[in-house]
Amino acid sequence: MYRSHNCGELRAAHINTEVILSGWVQKSRDKGFIVWVDLRDRYGITQLVFDEERSSKELIERAQNLGREFVIQVTGQVIERASKNPNLPTGEIEILVSKLTVLNEAKLPPFTIEDKTDGGEDIRMKYRYLDIRRNPVKNSLIFRHKVTQEVRNYLSNEGFIEVETPYLIKSTPEGARDFVVPSRMNEGQFYALPQSPQTFKQLLMVGGMDKYFQIVKCFRDEDLRADRQPEFTQIDCEMAFIEQEDILNAFEGLTRHLLKEINGVDVDKFPRIQYDDAMRLYGNDKPDIRFGMTFGELNAVTQHKDFGVFNSSELVVGIAVPGGNSYSRKEIDQLISWVKRPQIGALGMVYCRCNEDGTFKSSVDKFYTQEDLAQWAEVTGAKAGDLICVLSGDTNKVRAQLSALRMELAERLGLRNPNEFAPLWVMDFPLLEWDEDTERYHAMHHPFTSPKPEQIELLKTDPGSVKANAYDLVLNGNEIGGGSIRIHDKETQSLMFDYLGFTPEEARAQFGFLMDAFQYGAPPHGGLAFGLDRLVAILGGQETIRDFIAFPKNNSGRDVMIDAPAPIDDEQLEELSLKLNLKS
C-alpha cells in the first residue's frame, strides 16, 4: 500500500493516527536540528516533520537530502502542528515521520512548481507534464472534468443517447482545410479527420436515434490563436421530429444547468437578436451584452458637411464611452494609436467630448456645429460626461474595427466581469456568403443547413438575401455553440448543392451516401454543437482555452513537448506511396 490517505484529507480529527502518504516534495526547510518537508499530491499538501528529539539521525540526514519533486513515501503519526497555517486545509496537523522511502529521485525542474511560477509559456508547454502539477493547470483540468460530467448527466437524463462516430472519414470541400491521413491498404487514397460529425449525426437521425449526443474530438487545419486549436472538442447534439424552438429550449436548459451547478448562477433570460441587428449594433455576430456601448450609425448626421473623410465613407459609426470625457488628450491619442495598429487597421478616429454643461468639443469642430454634435450624442445615446468615438470606412471593415475598440474599452473600464454571465441567441444567419476569390457562394455554416422555408424561391433570384434556420448561442462575447435545422429531403439538398456550385456528379461523389439515406425516410431534424474547450474556459472565468486542455499545441500548431508534427522516414513514405515535394 503506497498510501492510506492523500495529502489533502488529514485534519485535527486524525491526530494520533498512523498514516502512510506518498507524493512529491514541494519544498523543504532545514534548521539543522529539525527539517520540515511539504509533501504534495493532486489533493493538497501535508507538512512532514523530522526532528532530532523524536527522529533518528539517519532519518534526518535522509530528509535533508531530499530535492524538489522527489517522489517519496512516508509512514508516520499525525500530530498537532505547533505553528498552524490557516491558509492550508491540512494546516492544523503535521506528520511526525518514522519511515521514509525515496520512490524516485528528480532533476531540478526547469521552473518552480508553484501557483505563481517563474516559467514562461514556452518552457511550460515543453514540460507540460510538470506544469500539470501546478494548481492553476491541475484545477482547470479537474474543472473541465466536472463540466463534462454535468453535460453527460444532464443530456442522459433528458433522453439523449451517446453514440461514437468515426474519425477516419472522407474529405469534403466545405469549411476549413481537412487534416488528411494516407491509407496504406488503399494506395493513393486518403482519409480525412472530421471537422465535425455533421453527416454522421444526420444519418443517426435517419436511423431513428432521435436524441443523440457525443463529446467528440474534431480537427481543422486553420490558423490558430489563443481560443483555437487544430484539435478541439465538441458537445455534438442532434434531435429529430423537432422545430427550431425545441432545439433552443433544450440547450437553454443545458446552459442553465451548467451555470447553476458549476457557477451557482441562476440565468432566466436568453435574449434573441437577429444576425443583421447584431452586426448593426455590435459589429459582430457574437456580441458581449454585459455592457452597453451599442453602435450608432451616423451617416445621416455627419455626411455632406464639408468633411471629406466622412463624405467618402460607406459607413460612419460611433459609440458612447461612459465617463469617457474624463480621458486626457494623451489617453485619447493612445486610443487613436490603438485603432491604427495593423491588427485593427483603422486610418484614424474622430472623437467628441460631451461636456457636463451640455456643450460639445470635437476633433472636427470646424466642420460641425454644436447642433450637429448634439445629433451625434442623440444617435449614439451619449450623455454628459461621455466620449463619442467615431470610425468610418467600408461597412464590414469599420464595423469590425469599432467592435474591437468597443471590447478594448470595456476591458479598460472593467465592464467584462468574468463572474457575470449574459447568454444570447443570434438568429437567422445568411444562408450563403459570396467568396470574391472563387466568385461563387459558399455555405455560411455548412451545406446541410435549411433555408427559411418561405425564402426557398429567393434562391433563384437573390441567393445572398436568403436566411438560414441557423442559430448561435453566445456567452459573454464568445460563441459557445451553433447549429441549425437541417435539410431532410433530397430535392432541397440537391437544390442547395446546385447553388453552392456543385455539379450533380460532384454532389454524388461527395455526398451520395447522404442523398441515398434521405430516400429512405429522413425525419425533420436539427441540432447544435457546443465548443467544450471554450465553454469550460468561460465558465472558469478565462478567455483562453489552453489551460483547460491537458496537452495543447502552440500558435503554430506544434506540440513542443513531443516535437510534433515531425518528418517520417523514407521507408514509411514508400509504404504509403507518398513522395514529398517540399518548397525550399
Side-chain angles (χ1 to χ4, degrees):
M1 181 170 65
Y2 280 105
R3 55 188 179 185
S4 61
H5 299 76
N6 64 54
C7 294
E9 68 176 294
L10 297 173
R11 301 290 188 270
H14 294 95
I15 288 174
N16 296 324
T17 303
E18 186 86 359
V19 298
I20 303 172
L21 301 181
S22 293
W24 289 263
V25 173
Q26 175 80 15
K27 60 184 177 182
S28 62
R29 299 173 298 286
D30 182 4
K31 296 293 186 181
F33 61 91
I34 189 169
V35 178
W36 291 280
V37 174
D38 286 349
L39 187 67
R40 183 195 71 243
D41 61 14
R42 81 169 173 94
Y43 304 96
I45 290 175
T46 297
Q47 180 170 283
L48 314 178
V49 62
F50 306 78
D51 72 66
E52 62 181 15
E53 292 184 4
R54 296 172 289 182
S55 306
S56 68
K57 182 179 180 181
E58 184 266 341
L59 189 58
I60 291 178
E61 287 177 353
R62 292 183 63 207
Q64 291 170 329
N65 288 322
L66 293 174
R68 277 183 176 263
E69 302 306 310
F70 275 35
V71 184
I72 65 172
Q73 179 191 48
V74 297
T75 302
Q77 187 178 42
V78 181
I79 62 174
E80 186 176 3
R81 187 164 166 170
S83 179
K84 296 179 175 59
N85 183 350
N87 299 318
L88 204 63
T90 60
E92 293 186 339
I93 60 93
E94 59 189 1
I95 309 301
L96 178 62
V97 177
S98 58
K99 181 181 178 182
L100 166 65
T101 303
V102 175
L103 301 174
N104 217 330
E105 295 185 357
K107 289 174 61 177
L108 187 67
F111 55 88
T112 54
I113 314 296
E114 301 277 2
D115 289 3
K116 294 183 178 179
T117 182
D118 55 359
E121 185 177 45
D122 290 343
I123 194 73
R124 289 188 291 108
M125 291 273 280
K126 183 174 178 61
Y127 297 94
R128 183 63 167 181
Y129 46 85
L130 297 179
D131 202 27
I132 290 172
R133 295 180 190 175
R134 296 174 50 244
N135 282 327
V137 181
K138 175 198 74 177
N139 291 338
S140 292
L141 296 181
I142 294 171
F143 183 82
R144 180 188 178 111
H145 162 76
K146 183 179 178 182
V147 173
T148 303
Q149 291 302 105
E150 288 295 338
V151 169
R152 277 200 164 94
N153 292 339
Y154 181 88
L155 291 175
S156 297
N157 289 335
E158 291 294 312
F160 285 79
I161 304 299
E162 185 167 11
V163 182
E164 291 184 354
T165 54
Y167 281 164
L168 296 175
I169 65 167
K170 187 177 186 177
S171 183
T172 60
E174 292 296 318
R177 296 181 188 91
D178 288 325
F179 284 103
V180 295
V181 181
S183 171
R184 178 184 59 80
M185 294 181 289
N186 300 275
E187 188 174 308
Q189 296 184 322
F190 296 82
Y191 299 105
L193 299 179
Q195 296 183 33
S196 81
Q198 181 61 48
T199 53
F200 288 102
K201 64 182 177 184
Q202 291 191 254
L203 291 171
L204 286 169
M205 297 303 103
V206 176
M209 304 295 289
D210 66 336
K211 283 188 171 183
Y212 142 92
F213 85 99
Q214 183 181 189
I215 297 178
V216 60
K217 280 288 184 188
C218 301
F219 307 86
R220 291 178 189 170
D221 186 5
E222 58 187 352
D223 295 335
L224 306 180
R225 55 178 184 248
D227 63 344
R228 192 177 281 174
Q229 289 275 298
E231 52 182 320
F232 57 96
T233 306
Q234 283 187 350
I235 309 166
D236 196 56
C237 307
E238 197 81 359
M239 301 169 70
F241 300 112
I242 47 80
E243 295 177 334
Q244 181 172 277
E245 201 65 27
D246 299 308
I247 299 282
L248 303 187
N249 289 335
F251 296 107
E252 281 184 17
L254 173 58
T255 307
R256 280 196 184 92
H257 175 79
L258 292 175
L259 288 168
K260 179 65 175 177
E261 295 301 317
I262 302 297
N263 298 89
V265 173
D266 289 304
V267 175
D268 293 327
K269 295 182 179 179
F270 281 66
R272 301 178 185 183
I273 188 172
Q274 298 291 302
Y275 168 86
D276 290 344
D277 290 335
M279 298 303 295
R280 178 176 57 83
L281 294 172
Y282 299 97
N284 68 69
D285 59 5
K286 47 182 185 297
D288 190 336
I289 59 169
R290 286 175 292 179
F291 55 96
M293 288 196 282
T294 54
F295 292 7
E297 296 190 353
L298 297 165
N299 290 44
V301 297
T302 59
Q303 292 182 331
H304 313 299
K305 300 284 186 177
D306 297 327
F307 185 48
V309 173
F310 284 173
N311 289 339
S312 62
S313 296
E314 187 178 9
L315 177 66
V316 183
V317 62
I319 53 174
V321 184
N325 194 28
S326 63
Y327 287 3
S328 67
R329 177 59 192 266
K330 181 180 178 180
E331 288 174 309
I332 293 176
D333 286 344
Q334 287 173 345
L335 285 179
I336 295 171
S337 297
W338 191 89
V339 299
K340 291 170 72 173
R341 296 181 310 147
Q343 301 95 313
I344 307 301
L347 297 178
M349 184 186 84
V350 169
Y351 67 89
C352 176
R353 294 181 179 276
C354 302
N355 298 319
E356 295 292 347
D357 62 3
T359 62
F360 302 91
K361 178 66 178 173
S362 172
S363 54
V364 289
D365 271 344
K366 66 180 181 179
F367 300 104
Y368 296 96
T369 66
Q370 288 290 300
E371 290 74 18
D372 293 331
L373 298 177
Q375 288 183 305
W376 293 21
E378 182 179 353
V379 172
T380 59
K383 299 178 176 59
D386 292 350
L387 177 75
I388 304 171
C389 296
V390 182
L391 301 181
S392 64
D394 294 341
T395 297
N396 291 339
K397 288 183 179 179
V398 78
R399 281 175 171 170
Q401 292 160 358
L402 191 60
S403 175
L405 177 61
R406 175 179 180 268
M407 296 296 279
E408 174 66 16
L409 287 165
E411 196 70 43
R412 296 184 184 192
L413 292 167
L415 301 177
R416 302 189 68 207
N417 179 2
N419 297 314
E420 180 186 353
F421 297 94
L424 173 74
W425 286 107
V426 180
M427 314 289 295
D428 297 347
F429 283 77
L431 181 70
L432 305 169
E433 55 185 344
W434 181 255
D435 187 295
E436 294 290 347
D437 295 332
T438 59
E439 295 187 341
R440 68 182 180 91
Y441 283 104
H442 289 267
M444 190 161 190
H445 283 75
H446 53 67
F448 316 107
T449 299
S450 170
K452 292 287 185 182
E454 65 274 14
Q455 295 186 335
I456 289 179
E457 287 301 313
L458 277 176
L459 283 170
K460 299 174 184 177
T461 57
D462 188 11
S465 69
V466 178
K467 299 297 184 184
N469 266 325
Y471 35 82
D472 279 358
L473 182 55
V474 175
L475 185 62
N476 294 1
N478 293 271
E479 177 199 335
I480 61 168
S484 66
I485 300 300
R486 321 302 186 192
I487 298 169
H488 69 277
D489 65 279
K490 183 179 178 181
E491 290 73 24
T492 306
Q493 189 64 73
S494 296
L495 185 66
M496 185 68 171
F497 286 145
D498 184 44
Y499 285 107
L500 290 173
F502 289 90
T503 65
E505 293 75 21
E506 288 170 336
R508 163 59 55 182
Q510 291 290 339
F511 304 109
F513 63 93
L514 187 64
M515 306 289 280
D516 289 343
F518 283 178
Q519 297 180 100
Y520 292 96
H525 60 282
L528 180 142
F530 285 89
L532 177 64
D533 310 293
R534 193 174 301 171
L535 173 63
V536 170
I538 295 168
L539 295 177
Q542 303 295 322
E543 287 287 328
T544 59
I545 65 177
R546 281 185 185 163
D547 278 352
F548 296 89
I549 299 172
F551 300 102
K553 293 174 174 59
N554 67 14
N555 284 344
S556 300
R558 295 198 64 83
D559 186 326
V560 295
M561 182 184 68
I562 64 172
D563 194 24
I568 60 175
D569 59 37
D570 291 340
E571 184 178 339
Q572 279 183 288
L573 289 172
E574 185 175 351
E575 190 174 39
L576 294 168
S577 303
L578 295 177
K579 185 176 181 180
L580 299 181
N581 183 21
L582 300 176
K583 297 177 182 178
S584 58

